Amino acid sequence: MYKRYVDVTFAVLPNDKVSAFLDHLNSISSNIKFTMELEANNKLAFLDVLILRNPDNTLGHTVYRKPTHTDKYLNGSSHHHPSQLATVGKSLFQRAQKICDENHIAGELQHVKRVLQRNQLKTPHQRHKGPKPPSVERCPATLPYIKGVTDRIGHILRRASIKTYFKPQKKINQFLRPVKCNIPLQDAGVYKLDCECGLSYIGQTKRSIKTRVKEHMADMKHTRSTKSAISEHTLDKPNHYIRFDNPQILAKENRFIPRMMREAIEIKKHPNFNREDGWQVPPVWDPIIKTIKTQTQQKPAARPQDTVSSFCVQRNTNQLD
């Protein structure tokens, strides 16, 4: 017997032919080297299938779990949509039914039920599939899952034959520091530059934020008021200085549409001197933006000492004189 899935193979050979077969495979090409694992206690794992050799030399099969497996899955009390929680049990039951033979299916299903109970998940029930009612194909909607809010919106959209996909607001990797070294301001996204007057400039860029900030500094230095809202703001209001020494990254985003939408939301959240709002946020978002808007005003920051701001201070002083 010889079975292959991508680069993993399963073979049944006489004991005296195993080493010769491995040597033959490795002799075909010097760039490809095979390793092998022999059965132990009449068992051998092949991907997520555990092959069992019965006393009569027939082969049985059940689900394989690594020795380090902890049976920890998505917890039922976590903040996820019920359909996502139900998928855990459904996928475990389907895997057991597809992999296990008739001698091991009952034991695997009992194990899955205990695992679901420990993870506070419900056991899926078998539903009788009948003919589906006719429906109109519509563009699906993707919403962040907020219990009691977006799930109700999903029910309303379902009445209009609009399928809704829910995604978590944050993933675990967003709470963890990246393993690789990350240079500040090297990402694309949405940024904020504060002015001493209490207003801010909100911008977005598909390049690095550091590059975009340097362009703003050059516009100020050469007084390009028609090209830059920042330069226009400092010319119209003398003694107002931009904190180029402390740019703030509001969101890191490489995709165009999410980046533009995030910029429009941040413009509504912060008092700013932007000349144009970019994309317009639908009015239905106004109550949500109002609830997350900062209530306390930020204290005026200390005057920066960077080279460009010092140049602007000297220029404005000369103009006043």
Side-chain angles (χ1 to χ4, degrees), residues 101-116:
D101 57 23
E102 58 182 10
N103 296 326
H104 298 91
I105 181 65
E108 176 62 23
L109 292 179
Q110 288 297 324
H111 176 80
V112 170
K113 291 178 182 179
R114 291 194 298 268
V115 168
L116 295 177

Side-chain angles (χ1 to χ4, degrees), residues 206-223:
K206 66 179 180 180
R207 299 168 294 165
S208 68
I209 295 177
K210 181 179 180 180
T211 301
R212 190 70 185 101
V213 171
K214 286 183 177 179
E215 292 176 348
H216 287 306
M217 295 168 65
D219 291 336
M220 277 195 58
K221 184 175 181 179
H222 299 289
T223 63

Side-chain angles (χ1 to χ4, degrees), residues 29-306:
S29 173
S30 59
N31 297 323
I32 302 177
K33 292 298 179 182
F34 288 84
T35 60
M36 72 175 179
E37 181 181 353
L38 299 175
E39 66 172 285
N41 299 323
N42 296 332
K43 298 179 182 179
L44 180 63
F46 179 67
L47 301 176
D48 58 345
V49 182
L50 182 63
I51 311 297
L52 308 170
R53 184 154 61 92
N54 299 320
D56 58 353
N57 284 331
T58 59
L59 298 180
H61 38 90
T62 185
V63 175
Y64 171 72
R65 296 179 181 85
K66 294 183 178 180
T68 56
H69 185 70
T70 59
D71 282 331
K72 293 291 184 181
Y73 297 97
L74 195 63
N75 193 276
S77 61
S78 61
H79 190 78
H80 286 79
H81 192 266
S83 62
Q84 296 174 336
L85 297 175
T87 304
V88 178
K90 183 179 179 181
S91 61
L92 292 178
F93 268 74
Q94 288 180 346
R95 182 178 68 167
Q97 293 168 350
K98 291 182 178 180
I99 292 180
C100 298
D101 57 23
E102 58 182 10
N103 296 326
H104 298 91
I105 181 65
E108 176 62 23
L109 292 179
Q110 288 297 324
H111 176 80
V112 170
K113 291 178 182 179
R114 291 194 298 268
V115 168
L116 295 177
Q117 186 176 7
R118 286 198 297 267
N119 288 275
Q120 303 180 33
L121 294 168
K122 296 181 180 179
T123 302
H125 298 284
Q126 187 73 22
R127 294 184 177 181
H128 298 285
K129 296 183 179 180
K132 292 184 178 180
S135 60
V136 180
E137 191 71 22
R138 299 183 185 274
C139 182
T142 303
L143 298 175
Y145 179 64
I146 303 175
K147 190 174 182 180
V149 180
T150 54
D151 49 357
R152 295 182 180 178
I153 298 176
H155 286 297
I156 297 174
L157 295 177
R158 194 181 306 163
R159 299 172 188 170
S161 299
I162 300 176
K163 193 172 183 179
T164 309
Y165 297 99
F166 296 93
K167 63 178 182 179
Q169 292 177 294
K170 285 192 175 182
K171 298 181 181 180
I172 295 178
N173 62 355
Q174 294 177 276
F175 293 94
L176 303 176
R177 293 182 62 86
V179 178
K180 296 182 179 179
C181 179
N182 185 22
I183 302 175
L185 306 178
Q186 289 298 314
D187 299 296
V190 182
Y191 61 92
K192 180 165 76 79
L193 293 171
D194 294 325
C195 179
E196 283 192 336
C197 67
L199 299 179
S200 303
Y201 175 81
I202 312 297
Q204 62 83 26
T205 177
K206 66 179 180 180
R207 299 168 294 165
S208 68
I209 295 177
K210 181 179 180 180
T211 301
R212 190 70 185 101
V213 171
K214 286 183 177 179
E215 292 176 348
H216 287 306
M217 295 168 65
D219 291 336
M220 277 195 58
K221 184 175 181 179
H222 299 289
T223 63
R224 301 167 184 161
S225 58
T226 58
K227 187 176 180 180
S228 171
I230 294 179
S231 180
E232 181 184 12
H233 178 75
T234 54
L235 287 174
D236 292 343
K237 300 180 181 295
N239 299 324
H240 285 203
Y241 309 108
I242 307 299
R243 292 298 307 269
F244 286 118
D245 61 326
N246 187 30
Q248 301 179 37
I249 302 176
L250 301 179
K252 297 179 181 180
E253 182 59 66
N254 293 317
R255 296 170 297 174
F256 174 72
I257 294 179
R259 191 172 66 244
M260 296 296 295
M261 287 300 300
R262 182 61 181 269
E263 181 198 29
I265 293 173
E266 295 296 340
I267 289 175
K268 283 207 168 193
K269 286 172 55 179
H270 300 90
N272 61 83
F273 54 86
N274 286 59
R275 289 189 297 196
E276 54 185 27
D277 297 336
W279 283 21
Q280 295 293 331
V281 179
V284 69
W285 286 91
D286 289 346
I288 301 176
I289 296 176
K290 186 176 180 181
T291 58
I292 61 177
K293 194 173 182 179
T294 306
Q295 300 297 328
T296 57
Q297 295 182 353
Q298 297 180 352
K299 295 182 180 180
R303 182 174 297 180
Q305 299 299 323
D306 57 280

